[in-house]
Amino acid sequence: MLGLEFTDQSHAAAPGIAAVSANGMRGHVISGYLLHAHRVRTFPTASAADTLRFEPSLDLADADIERLRLARKVRCVVLRGQDEQALLGGAAG
């Protein structure tokens, strides 16, 4: 199992990203983004809402690993670029 913790974005330049972070929903929004944009299913841990857990199945194929690697990279680009539309979809703006 792998856990990824996300830093606080409550002071982000993008108001939607800042609001999601301030409301403690960052992990849920990021997991929704990963599912809808990259078909990667994950969810925040029960004890830390800003940490997503990844538990690969035994039959994980190389293509699945590559899709996860790309999704994690793109997600970082989206957050770094404060791209509310990509992260929040129709809820942005």
Side-chain angles (χ1 to χ4, degrees):
M1 178 167 37
L2 174 67
L4 295 175
E5 182 178 4
F6 299 94
T7 59
D8 181 25
Q9 296 277 320
S10 59
H11 299 292
I17 293 174
V20 163
S21 187
N23 290 331
M25 296 300 293
R26 183 173 51 253
H28 295 280
V29 169
I30 292 171
S31 66
Y33 164 78
L34 288 171
L35 178 60
H36 293 290
H38 301 282
R39 297 178 313 141
V40 172
R41 185 180 307 270
T42 186
F43 202 72
T45 64
S47 60
D50 292 334
T51 301
L52 298 183
R53 68 173 174 241
F54 296 88
E55 292 185 62
S57 70
L58 291 176
D59 62 349
L60 191 68
D62 288 344
D64 298 322
I65 294 169
E66 179 58 22
R67 190 173 76 242
L68 174 59
R69 188 198 64 75
L70 179 62
R72 289 176 42 207
K73 181 178 179 180
V74 171
R75 182 227 42 240
C76 289
V77 170
V78 165
L79 287 173
R80 186 178 304 121
Q82 300 292 292
D83 188 349
E84 286 179 304
Q85 187 61 38
L87 185 65
L88 303 174

